Amino acid sequence: MLFTVLGFATQISLVFDLLSHFRVQYALVQLIGLIWMLRTLKKPTVMALFMATLIALFINLSLVWQYASPTGFAKRQSGSVQLQLLQINVLVFNQNYDKVLSMIQQSDADIVSVQEVDYLWDEALEQSAVLKKYPYQVRHLRAGNLLLSKIPLASAKIVSFPEDKLGKAIYRKEGGFILARFTLKGRPVSLMNLHPPVPVGPKYINSYLQYLSLLAAEKPSLAPTVILLGDLNTTPWSFFYKQYLQELGLKDAKAHHYMPTWPTFMPLFYLPIDHVFVSSNVQTLHQQTGSFNGSDHLPVLVELQIP
């Protein structure tokens, strides 16, 4: 119950934001607690605790429902442009190269956004047939990011800041993200692929805020249609999640149901931290998570429509 309340205390300190992510888990524990307390409900102290837990359960369920309730997929419209995207964090220690690369091939996505790519992953990619399908590539291996595209890119750049702003990482030597621009049947689109650090502790919280500042600084140069995707290390109940949407004027492309993606090795703690954010004019035709491929993240496949 205390964690339920402290998850809202980000105005006091962003350290409390860590407690905002586990709304589903809080609700499950609270439901079990309510059932257990039914046995001794006649005691005044138990009754008080029961009511407080019931209120906390209602708060968590309402927050989960706001995100998990389906809004429905859009219908295909003639004259509109469709775009298939694949978002995947491969996990830098994952050695299932063939399985992951085969999944990318079979997805047949127009654009693939990848995180935690090191030089070993890049070497495996070079030796595969994937690059024949995706001739347009943007690598930012010092940040672990990779963008693969079937669609010609009008421009692409790395927006980065030095290591001392990010903090030490095993494979990431600098922070930043990929910003690419392309055209779909005359419609200009800006796409960003990023993987900010886990905002745990003041140092990494500051690093995360740096990412948001970099994104905000690029806003004036973005196309009318914007797509932002990646392992964002944040959930829909977090301060940082809301900042993405507010700062860039985007919406979550999720239109179906609750879609947790991490950690695959601990399903009880599943959280939705891999996201696709889009401009208000973009519609979602389909969305799903992919199968386990050795990573601690599930891939996310989404088909978008630009009217």
Side-chain angles (χ1 to χ4, degrees):
M1 184 172 60
L2 179 61
F3 290 166
T4 295
V5 176
L6 289 178
F8 293 104
T10 52
Q11 291 186 346
I12 299 173
S13 172
L14 286 177
V15 173
F16 290 119
D17 188 71
L18 182 63
L19 300 176
S20 70
H21 303 307
F22 302 95
R23 298 298 179 183
V24 173
Q25 288 77 14
Y26 294 160
L28 179 61
V29 172
Q30 288 158 358
L31 181 60
I32 294 172
L34 288 172
I35 295 173
W36 182 81
M37 283 185 281
L38 284 173
R39 301 182 305 170
T40 55
L41 203 55
K42 294 182 179 179
K43 296 180 180 180
T45 53
V46 176
M47 175 59 78
L49 182 59
F50 182 89
M51 294 305 298
T53 305
L54 186 62
I55 293 172
L57 175 62
F58 175 79
I59 291 172
N60 286 315
L61 288 179
S62 63
L63 290 171
V64 172
W65 178 250
Q66 288 176 21
Y67 171 75
S69 58
T71 57
F73 293 130
K75 295 182 179 179
R76 295 182 184 273
Q77 300 174 1
S78 60
S80 297
V81 178
Q82 285 77 43
L83 180 68
Q84 294 187 41
L85 302 173
L86 172 64
Q87 153 58 32
I88 177 171
N89 180 323
V90 297
L91 180 61
V92 67
F93 303 117
N94 181 12
Q95 296 182 358
N96 293 309
Y97 305 118
D98 292 341
K99 188 173 184 179
V100 173
L101 295 173
S102 175
M103 184 272 298
I104 292 176
Q105 281 268 57
Q106 293 173 11
S107 73
D108 201 33
D110 298 307
I111 295 178
V112 182
S113 167
V114 193
Q115 293 84 45
E116 296 203 19
V117 177
D118 64 359
Y119 293 97
L120 292 176
W121 269 101
D122 190 48
E123 183 179 339
L125 180 67
E126 290 286 351
Q127 295 173 1
S128 74
V130 170
L131 297 187
K132 294 181 181 179
K133 179 176 280 191
Y134 297 96
Y136 307 98
Q137 307 130 28
V138 186
R139 291 170 170 81
H140 187 198
L141 298 187
R142 288 180 62 81
N145 297 329
L146 171 68
L147 190 68
L148 304 174
S149 177
K150 294 179 182 177
I151 303 167
L153 302 178
S155 64
K157 68 176 182 178
I158 307 301
V159 183
S160 62
F161 48 86
E163 180 183 5
D164 61 344
K165 295 287 184 65
L166 176 69
K168 294 180 179 179
I170 294 173
Y171 63 96
R172 289 193 283 174
K173 298 301 182 183
E174 86 183 5
F177 57 90
I178 295 172
L179 172 57
R181 187 172 178 131
F182 56 92
T183 301
L184 287 174
K185 294 185 179 179
R187 298 167 175 84
V189 180
S190 291
L191 184 143
M192 290 169 281
N193 162 356
L194 67 156
H195 183 203
V198 181
V200 178
K203 184 174 183 178
Y204 290 101
I205 288 174
N206 289 334
S207 296
Y208 207 110
L209 293 173
Q210 283 284 337
Y211 270 84
L212 293 172
S213 297
L214 286 174
L215 288 168
E218 293 294 331
K219 184 177 179 180
S221 65
L222 299 179
T225 298
V226 177
I227 301 171
L228 184 154
L229 68 170
D231 168 10
L232 303 184
N233 280 317
T234 189
T235 63
W237 311 288
S238 163
F239 163 84
F240 297 105
Y241 174 94
K242 299 177 179 68
Q243 288 299 110
Y244 281 111
L245 306 185
Q246 293 172 6
E247 290 287 341
L248 296 173
L250 303 178
K251 65 178 181 179
D252 196 324
K254 187 203 75 65
H256 190 24
H257 51 67
Y258 181 65
M259 289 181 56
T261 57
W262 174 91
T264 57
F265 304 115
M266 293 186 290
L268 188 61
F269 294 95
Y270 256 156
L271 296 173
I273 66 172
D274 296 83
H275 301 286
V276 180
F277 296 152
V278 296
S279 302
S280 59
N281 64 315
V282 179
Q283 301 169 337
T284 303
L285 296 175
H286 182 72
Q287 187 183 39
Q288 69 181 70
T289 51
S291 58
F292 176 72
N293 53 54
S295 172
D296 55 341
H297 291 252
L298 292 177
V300 174
L301 298 98
V302 60
E303 184 177 11
L304 304 175
Q305 177 172 258
I306 305 174

